[in-house]
Amino acid sequence: MKTIPMSEYARKGIHLSSSFIPLFYLWASPTKEFILGFIGSLILFSLLLEYGRKNITWGISIFNTYFNFMLRKHESKGALTGASWVLIGMFITIFIFQKYIAVLSILFMVFGDTFAALIGKSIPMGQIGQKTLSGSFGGLVVILAISFLLRDYVPFIPAVGGGIVAMIVEVLPIQLDDNLTIPLSSGLMMTFLTGGFA
């Protein structure tokens, strides 16, 4: 078993904290317009931070001191950070899909991707590019648990179908950020399996 660096734990801790958005949408029942407006404001703030970390002296200094250790190589070179992509993925998913499917799709992205990364790095088996089959299997187990717990909102079998698609997309070497591809692909599958396209 390999040791996971603290930078990865910190990164995934931030990733997990974003689950408050779909859970708030699920249990507090704000309107779709409200939650989209809220996420939209977070995206705007995130993009301002993205600009600041690359172009403003104090922003560069703060980011270098507190956050640079968590960045992936492509993010250090100027690409959008995973945190910005999480918010963008959430916004598009909630905009497109029915509420409960959107919530489940986002939770698949948050928890499935997190556990896939941590398990894949600690027990790397079946390497596919930078991802591992062991990580995807670990992520799928977590997704199955979420699907079972939230089966009153989305039937279990369609949720499992969405979860399987989510982890297939997670492990494939797709160029698009998986914070976007995971919720959109799983949402499409669940919509199809629940007859949402009928």
Side-chain angles (χ1 to χ4, degrees):
M1 182 177 290
K2 293 189 176 182
T3 302
I4 300 174
M6 286 306 299
S7 59
E8 191 65 23
Y9 282 117
R11 186 180 177 91
K12 293 308 178 185
I14 293 173
H15 197 61
L16 287 174
S17 70
S18 68
S19 64
F20 89 90
I21 296 176
L23 293 176
F24 174 76
Y25 186 35
L26 177 65
W27 288 322
S29 296
T31 63
K32 186 171 186 173
E33 291 74 19
F34 175 87
I35 200 72
L36 287 174
F38 176 66
I39 298 172
S41 66
L42 292 179
I43 291 173
L44 179 60
F45 179 69
S46 177
L47 293 178
L48 289 173
L49 290 179
E50 295 275 7
Y51 177 82
R53 77 180 176 94
K54 291 177 279 190
N55 298 284
I56 301 174
T57 303
W58 59 265
I60 295 170
S61 176
I62 290 173
F63 216 90
N64 286 344
T65 302
Y66 297 105
F67 300 106
N68 261 16
F69 76 101
M70 291 187 289
L71 296 183
R72 301 278 192 248
K73 191 175 296 185
H74 66 284
E75 294 170 340
S76 296
K77 293 179 179 178
L80 283 182
T81 61
S84 293
W85 279 115
V86 165
L87 293 170
I88 293 169
M90 284 186 182
F91 185 94
I92 297 173
T93 301
I94 290 173
F95 181 79
I96 293 176
F97 298 114
Q98 181 268 344
K99 176 180 178 177
Y100 299 127
I101 286 176
V103 167
L104 210 57
S105 298
I106 293 168
L107 291 176
F108 289 171
M109 176 264 290
V110 172
F111 289 96
D113 183 54
T114 294
F115 282 90
L118 294 178
I119 293 170
K121 289 180 184 299
S122 61
I123 312 171
M125 297 172 61
Q127 198 82 21
I128 300 179
Q130 296 182 338
K131 305 292 182 71
T132 63
L133 292 177
S134 57
S136 293
F137 180 76
L140 181 59
V141 170
V142 174
I143 282 175
L144 292 177
I146 293 170
S147 300
F148 180 78
L149 291 172
L150 299 181
R151 64 192 183 281
D152 289 341
Y153 299 101
V154 177
F156 184 65
I157 297 302
V160 170
I164 291 172
V165 168
M167 287 298 95
I168 290 173
V169 168
E170 189 275 336
V171 77
L172 291 176
I174 299 172
Q175 293 300 313
L176 287 174
D177 194 281
D178 57 12
N179 293 309
L180 183 64
T181 57
I182 288 175
L184 292 180
S185 60
S186 60
L188 285 169
M189 178 55 73
M190 284 187 282
T191 300
F192 172 74
L193 293 176
T194 55
F197 293 128

